[in-house]
Amino acid sequence: MAAIINFLNDIFWGYILIYGLLAVGVYFTLRLGFIQVRRFPEFIRTVLKAPQTDRGGISPFQALCTSLASRVGTGNMTGVAVALYLGGPGAIFWMWVVAVIGMATAYAESTLAQLYKVRDQNGQLRGGPAFYISKGLKAPWAGAVFSLALILAFGLVFNAVQANSIAGAMEGAFGIDTNVTGIVIMLLAAIVIFGGIKKIARFAEVVVPFMAVLYLLLALYVIFTNISDVPAAFALIFKSAFGIEQAAGGVLGAMLNGVKRGLFSNEAGMGSAPNIAAVATPNPHHPASQGMVQSLGVFIDTLLICTATALMILLSGALGNGQTGIMLTQTALTTHIGSAGHYFVAIAIFFFAFTSIIGNYSYAENALTYLKWANKPGIFILRILALGMIPWGAYESVAMVFNAADAAMGLMATINLIAIMMLSGLVVKLTKDYFNQLKTHTPVFNSEDYPEVRDDIDLSVWDEKPSK
């Protein structure tokens, strides 16, 4: 079994996804006319607009925060340090490139998730890749495979991974036993998870902005106190990216490590964030507007938070001391703010990883709906299993289980990339429709303009306009 899982991971992560995610991102960037650059102001406006209400939905801002809860995790602190260690400062440049390209992919998948969303038996909005794979491509079997892979990876095993990171940080900084940390995290997560998707969204709406802003404020403090060295840090990133200045691993090493860490961090194209994007009630009432919101999430994750970590490490002079991962980040912050840096990293990891647990679970619950298992017993069992993975993950790390999650995520990402490419014409039509309407009035989706999908979408969702 271990040999099969390792073989699948070699295929998925060594070939299909690294090149597939990049190729799909470039394709959508070109086909949508660099929407992530030309229309960036509209991306911001769609998040800041007053929320519209729907009896079963959440606001665009809540959807953005919930997706960021999953995107912004230990990878933003640990993954960036690993990229710098293996690929040198130039890896950060390639992380930026991947993020800009990935914004187009994130836009495409979340726009489709919005279009094909449905209202479940409890009146809640649900959707995601499984729905547009099933309805848009007439392939319900592929939607089922995607859902099972997502539940395994995001609903279960990745919770153990995040709990392991929290427990290690708490033990290192405060000497707290990993078993105690695991139980405490499980109890805190239970309070939020048993409240359902809306409670998860309200929690994310408060915690994620606080967490991100606090981290970015610290980064700004570090930048301003080292302002004279900032131009040199940026110059080093660009020079190392193109081999003008020798970097660890050379140009190819910088590129590969930057691409990998960027893809793992922002999740664009993975098919994860669209699960929460579908639950939002967009304003304007058009699928494209929620695509823009989720595209902005990629920008925040990589171009803001990952860059903040990279600058703090580069400005500390700690790179090259032999450390990597979270230890390198801790050393960098200790250099800038003294011993408090060690504790700050532990606390930041707690918030980053804990919100990832909550965000990941929300995706799994959505996938459960597609499989028609989202009744009370089904959701209860999922919640118990998801929570049970937390203390287990905090206590021990089993490589094979984590590798199995990587394989499951590779499978779901591969299915998702094929689906959004096959549905790319629909994404282009929705985008043109939105911006053509925007020239004269607030865009509104009209199902009669889309006869090719009218029989496949939930008309009760789109023809029943929400109120402000």
Side-chain angles (χ1 to χ4, degrees), residues 32 43 107 110 132 143 146 161 166 184 191 197 234 239 258 333 365-366 377 384 412 442 468:
L32 296 172
F43 286 22
Y107 166 81
S110 291
Y132 59 70
F146 177 92
V161 176
I166 296 174
V184 170
I191 294 170
I197 292 290
F234 276 106
K239 288 178 180 178
L333 277 174
E365 191 172 301
N366 231 29
I384 294 300
M412 59 179 266
T442 300
K468 289 188 177 181

Side-chain angles (χ1 to χ4, degrees), residues 332-357:
L333 277 174
T334 301
T335 302
H336 293 302
I337 61 174
S339 59
H342 190 72
Y343 302 111
F344 178 86
V345 170
I347 294 169
I349 278 191
F350 173 83
F351 279 110
F352 280 20
F354 182 75
T355 53
S356 287
I357 290 171

Side-chain angles (χ1 to χ4, degrees), residues 439-461:
K439 294 174 184 176
T440 56
H441 60 273
T442 300
V444 176
F445 178 78
N446 185 352
S447 62
E448 293 179 358
D449 294 333
Y450 295 82
E452 69 272 34
V453 300
R454 189 171 165 81
D455 293 337
D456 299 320
I457 62 176
D458 191 334
L459 296 177
S460 72
V461 171

Side-chain angles (χ1 to χ4, degrees), residues 117-273:
K117 67 184 178 182
V118 300
R119 199 180 299 280
D120 68 13
Q121 67 269 28
N122 299 315
Q124 299 294 307
L125 293 176
R126 301 287 188 176
F131 292 82
Y132 59 70
I133 290 167
S134 174
K135 295 175 181 291
L137 299 180
K138 314 297 184 192
W141 65 270
V145 172
F146 177 92
S147 297
L148 289 170
L150 186 145
I151 291 170
L152 171 63
F154 283 84
L156 301 177
V157 181
F158 286 167
N159 286 348
V161 176
Q162 300 292 348
N164 190 267
S165 297
I166 296 174
M170 291 295 116
E171 184 178 43
F174 304 106
I176 301 173
D177 184 82
T178 54
N179 289 311
V180 173
T181 300
I183 292 171
V184 170
I185 299 167
M186 180 183 70
L187 294 174
L188 290 173
I191 294 170
V192 182
I193 286 174
F194 272 93
I197 292 290
K198 286 199 170 186
K199 187 162 187 178
I200 290 172
R202 286 195 294 270
F203 174 84
E205 183 181 30
V206 174
V207 175
V208 171
F210 168 77
M211 170 187 75
V213 168
L214 185 63
Y215 193 68
L216 290 173
L217 284 175
L218 176 62
L220 286 173
Y221 167 78
V222 170
I223 289 169
F224 283 119
T225 53
N226 297 272
I227 194 68
S228 61
D229 296 324
V230 171
F234 276 106
L236 182 61
I237 290 172
F238 285 104
K239 288 178 180 178
S240 299
F242 297 102
I244 299 171
E245 184 162 325
Q246 184 57 39
V251 178
L252 186 60
M255 184 183 298
L256 287 177
N257 283 286
V259 168
K260 285 182 180 180
R261 296 324 315 173
L263 292 173
F264 293 163
S265 179
N266 63 51
E267 296 181 16
M270 295 288 184
S272 50

